[in-house]
Amino acid sequence: MSTDTDSALDLDKLFTARLQAARARPYLATALFALHTVESRRVPTMAVDRHWRCYVSPSFVDRTPVEELAGVWVHEVSHLLRDHHGRSDRVARERELTGPGERLRMNIAADCEINDDVFGDGLVKPEGAVEPASLKLPTGQLMEDYLRQFQLGPRTMELAWLDCGSGADGLEREWELGPDGAHGLSEQERDAVRFRVAQGITGRPGSAPEGWRRWAEEAFHPPQPWRALLGAAVRSAASAPGAGEDYSYGRPSRRSAGVPGTVLPSLRRRPPHVSVIIDTSGSVSDAELGSALLEVAAISRAVGGRRDLVTVVPCDAAARIAHPLCRAEGIPLLGGGGTNLRAGFAKALRSHPKPDVVVVLTDGQTPWPGSRPPCRTVVGLFPRHHPRTTWDEDDPDYVPDSPPDWARVVQIG
Amino acid sequence: MPTRTPFAMPSDADPLSPLDVAADLLTMLRTTTTEPRPDIQLEALTLAVAADLPVLLWGEPGIGKTAALTQLAASLDLPLTTVIASVHEPSDFSGLPIVGDDPAEQGVPMAPPDWAVRLVRAGRGLLFLDELSTAPPAVQAALLRLVLERRIGALQLPPDVRIVAAANPRSSAADGWELSPPLANRFVHLQWTHDHEVVVRGLGGTWPRATLPRLAPERLAEAVDFARRAVCTLLAARPKLVHQLPNSESRRGGPWPSPRSWEMTLRLIAFATASGVSRDVLSLLVRGTVGDGPGLELLAGLDRLDLPDPEVLLADPTAEELPQRGDLRQAVLDGVVAAVRSRPDRARWDAAWALLVRALETGAPDLVVVPATTLASLRRDDWDVPTAIENLAGVVTLSRRADEAAARAKTATKVRR
């Protein structure tokens, strides 16, 4: 589409824009400076490959104002920082998406993820940037979510020329220099740059917007599926020495054959008793309670399938009766209003036989017991997106205690 | 009644039995070739085994962990002993008591299992503990001693025995336990993944053959020095990194920093330096020993150790090449300006200007703006402006144009709101 193919790349203008971008977003400076620019007449605007090279069209630089170029710089580097090429490859494998059309969709989805929150505040949105709104999609989602919600069609017609390179969608272009070309960053170097940027953001969290802060937190510690974590936490609590396992003289040990005349105890597992305290206060929704109950059933299977060994204590401001799980799924989850998990703990620990493990399913807006209970504790914590809606309306600044150190905490959802 | 079999019936002229034919077919299927192919997973595994550190391979079932171990054992010329940890009792690793004639006099020896005896008799070998994460906690506790002290019952494993373990990640280990933090801290954790291309090509008959790292004898002293400097520089500046028990659920069972794992890291850096493997291999190893966060900080520190020393550059601005990569180049320039600030004198100030001019001539101009501004502010009244500054006039223009663009952007984004 470029007509003036003779014009040389205006490096001064390009680097002026980069300087402005680095001033507007100081926490991205390291990543911006790590990009190696390559002049290319094959790319419509600017594009990146997965080796952190940035391909620039000279005519695009000529016709674009500096402040818009700065926005494009930040946009392109965001593709790389957010690992859109790696994520595109993974999505393509998981959902078996093949062909250039799908890669174009990934590029559009990745652009949506970036563009809904990087511009503004001293950074101009470049002409023609894709936004979720132009596809009639909500903002604030991830590329993988956007990808499910639109198809190529009339609405994306004018985006067909859109090309942010293999750094955005994982598909190698023939005009790219490839892994063996000069000035590429190795995987370790790419991780190091991303790490330094993430560290800069978490070190000074005030200056970066929410989206970048979340990225920085999760860049090297992606969240894990909570079901697996909760299951592992309960299993490990229930099977740890002292909980469900001990030496017993009830059966002779395997070793006894080698030691005639002596009786050796053998290590025997007895199925552990688990008490599940469910927070039924008004701050926990019915949907959350439903999924909590499902988890209770799963936990009962995880500790050996003995449903009679799992007790459920619904708890709001006062703990009610402890129900054995074997009495069908119809445990009445009474309650509403405030929570006091101390009552729930007291109730669970008073029950007979004493629990080996206490599992608490709560949103955490509660006072916790002051001292460590005499058994292992696992807390499944429902996320609270609106910290303002605390249970104490008289004191809007009230922040509930976080779960105590002695509990293993798993974030649910 | 079937009267025909799918195999050719043996006759006098054809003495082959059906099983012989089947054996021929199996032999043909097994005949594969190898091709050289860089494989950083395997390089990392080899290096850690050479450094005599226990390695734990994390990977989904059936992706070739055992095959990799077989290849490693063959290339290191070590006999391979495989023990499935999850089907053993704790006593299989701590020893079974055997009563002699007079227990009060002679005591009760703890007899080791047969595989351990064979391993000790051979004097060398690769011990592969499979299915570690599905071993119950009591077995894991018994394994602690095997992995750390290399003892099984009364037997001491010889120094030439190397230990590698494998585990399935929690997501795929349906009834798995997690690794306890003390056991996790004793291993170098390597994520074992399969490469789609390698698998397809391998099933087609060509498996990859990695070139294994070799230690260069003449680089040993330098390697030890470098490794000590790298780890000590980081830990002196960041005392918090020395010991951090994993506190979040998702990091449990993985690598975490402690004096023990830092010592392992030190050893790995020395081995990596002496064998000259790539930073990518070292990155896998270091992050698998102390965890991602501390590991990446250490690697960032290594990158800085590789940068030219500001004092050398100030003594002679043309002495060393400036790095090509923009972010590293800016780190060097910032370092030089900081060195001038810490000990300002006229000659050093001039040398820094000369260096900035050189940076401008050989690279992107926007990198020079911040160091130049800072350096200008360090000027004393009796210092004349060096003539070199004229060459930096373009930088001033660049900076001014960026300011103007920023002002326009500010109004534009304000209007839009």
Side-chain angles (χ1 to χ4, degrees), chain B residues 54-295:
Chain B
V55 183
L56 178 54
L57 306 180
W58 287 98
E60 306 289 332
I63 57 160
K65 297 190 288 276
T66 313
L69 258 288
T70 314
Q71 191 191 353
L72 178 71
S75 61
L76 294 176
D77 192 23
L78 289 174
L80 180 66
T81 306
T82 303
V83 177
I84 313 278
S86 56
V87 299
H88 284 269
E89 282 201 354
S91 54
D92 292 344
F93 299 107
S94 53
L96 292 143
I98 302 292
V99 178
D101 295 337
D102 189 356
E105 192 63 34
Q106 295 167 353
V108 180
M110 304 292 268
D114 62 333
W115 55 264
V117 176
R118 281 201 299 270
L119 200 58
V120 170
R121 201 173 295 150
R124 49 204 285 284
L126 191 60
L127 175 58
F128 180 36
L129 304 168
D130 206 354
E131 303 280 345
L132 195 67
S133 55
T134 32
V139 175
Q140 289 189 14
L143 279 171
L144 270 184
R145 189 146 174 267
L146 166 58
V147 172
L148 185 70
E149 293 174 34
R150 313 168 65 94
R151 292 186 81 93
I152 305 163
L155 271 191
Q156 172 85 43
L157 289 181
D160 279 344
V161 172
R162 302 293 155 90
I163 299 172
V164 179
N168 300 329
R170 264 197 289 200
S171 52
S172 63
D175 54 349
W177 281 270
E178 61 182 12
L179 228 52
S180 65
L183 191 57
N185 195 231
R186 284 168 167 85
F187 281 106
V188 178
H189 300 245
L190 289 180
Q191 302 296 331
W192 209 256
T193 52
H194 71 273
D195 185 339
H196 177 77
E197 230 174 275
V198 167
V199 172
V200 172
R201 210 166 149 62
L203 293 176
T206 312
W207 288 103
R209 181 182 66 245
T211 43
L212 302 174
R214 299 207 177 282
L215 299 172
E218 68 278 5
R219 299 189 61 183
L220 299 188
E222 169 205 353
V224 171
D225 180 53
F226 180 75
R228 289 197 170 136
R229 197 151 48 97
V231 172
C232 297
T233 315
L234 176 72
L235 294 187
R238 297 289 314 276
K240 269 193 184 159
L241 291 184
V242 173
H243 192 271
Q244 277 177 352
L245 256 165
N247 51 1
S248 87
E249 275 301 314
S250 52
R251 285 180 225 182
R252 261 172 215 269
W256 54 278
S258 76
R260 176 184 15 235
S261 50
W262 280 116
E263 205 204 324
M264 288 159 61
T265 305
L266 200 153
R267 205 191 286 188
L268 287 168
I269 298 174
F271 270 77
T273 312
S275 61
V277 296
S278 71
R279 271 289 157 77
D280 287 321
V281 174
L282 183 61
S283 167
L284 278 188
L285 289 168
V286 168
R287 288 162 70 175
T289 309
V290 289
D292 270 341

Side-chain angles (χ1 to χ4, degrees), chain A residues 211-231:
Chain A
W212 278 114
R213 284 211 302 276
R214 206 170 44 229
W215 168 81
E217 277 164 24
E218 294 178 358
F220 289 95
H221 299 289
Q224 290 201 359
W226 62 271
R227 279 166 217 279
L229 289 180
L230 187 67

